[in-house]
Amino acid sequence: MTTDFLPGTDGPWQSSRAKTLCRRGPRYVTGADLVRIARTLALEPWHFTQTAPAAADDPTGVVLDNARRRVTLRVANAAHGCVFHIRTLQGTGRCGLGDLAPASCRMFPALPGKGATRTGGEAVEEVRGGTGPRLDEEQLAEAERQWAADRDHWFELIARWNALAEKAETPPNVEDFQRYLLEAQASREAGMPWPEDVVA
């Protein structure tokens, strides 16, 4: 539920989140995050994602167009920031995804992969995630473990895609990659082999 007035300590937290995270969109998004959002909203991922150039050594760099382009996939941004950030007439805002938000958003202000540290580097004393209850140390540790597993799968998925894309006769595009992502995530959840390892 979105409210114009955020009482107590939640108001400053939401304001800080909007300024530091929601304005530029989540930095640490995984394939599992994108698939979860797509399934729940009944949208293909290309309706709410965008690409950005990737460095040659970036493990999230997706090869497209017969290796002529290398991009990262992100949640799309609009003029006000993340496309899922809801702004009210009073200027307050919050994540429209709630518990569907990428893990890095739910863990804010902790940085995934950095342990319990705030975006400025100092230790996290109290972390609030999503629109739900505060995350205690155990909940933050569990969120970190899940994010790390999703990240490792994301890295492997991209590496496998890149190997396939380099051999493709027809240059694949970003929608082709996202279709592969949906299929690979479904295989992961079902405990099945990677899509390209299934022999007809």
Side-chain angles (χ1 to χ4, degrees):
M1 180 172 109
T2 303
T3 58
D4 292 343
F5 174 69
L6 300 170
T9 59
D10 196 41
W13 179 84
Q14 288 287 358
S15 177
S16 169
R17 177 187 178 133
K19 287 178 186 171
T20 60
L21 178 68
C22 301
R23 188 167 292 155
R24 63 171 162 40
R27 289 174 37 197
Y28 303 102
V29 67
T30 66
D33 293 324
L34 298 176
V35 170
R36 187 179 59 255
I37 294 167
R39 286 179 183 161
T40 305
L41 299 180
L43 287 172
E44 292 86 0
W46 50 87
H47 291 292
F48 59 87
T49 58
Q50 65 189 37
T51 61
D57 62 345
D58 185 346
T60 64
V62 177
V63 171
L64 301 174
D65 302 328
N66 285 353
R68 288 193 307 269
R69 285 194 313 145
R70 191 174 171 88
V71 299
T72 59
L73 202 59
R74 301 177 178 181
V75 172
N77 274 344
H80 66 280
C82 177
V83 292
F84 296 115
H85 185 232
I86 299 170
R87 294 189 61 146
T88 65
L89 294 174
Q90 286 70 27
T92 59
R94 67 183 328 116
C95 181
L97 291 173
D99 291 338
L100 281 179
S104 60
C105 297
R106 293 191 316 269
M107 292 170 62
F108 179 82
L111 286 175
K114 307 287 186 197
T117 58
R118 289 189 190 269
T119 53
E122 64 272 16
V124 172
E125 294 169 13
E126 225 172 63
V127 178
R128 181 176 168 84
T131 56
R134 293 187 186 280
L135 296 179
D136 59 26
E137 272 187 49
E138 187 176 314
Q139 292 167 324
L140 182 59
E142 178 55 34
E144 178 78 19
R145 278 191 294 277
Q146 183 60 52
W147 179 84
D150 290 344
R151 178 208 53 208
D152 292 346
H153 184 264
W154 184 229
F155 288 173
E156 184 175 359
L157 185 147
I158 290 171
R160 285 174 168 269
W161 165 264
N162 289 347
L164 291 171
E166 289 175 3
K167 299 175 193 170
E169 292 178 18
T170 306
N173 61 30
V174 72
E175 288 183 17
D176 294 326
F177 169 72
Q178 291 174 336
R179 286 184 189 97
Y180 176 78
L181 163 63
L182 292 169
E183 193 175 344
Q185 187 67 24
S187 295
R188 176 189 185 199
E189 292 166 359
M192 303 292 290
W194 289 90
E196 66 274 16
D197 294 341
V198 175
V199 178

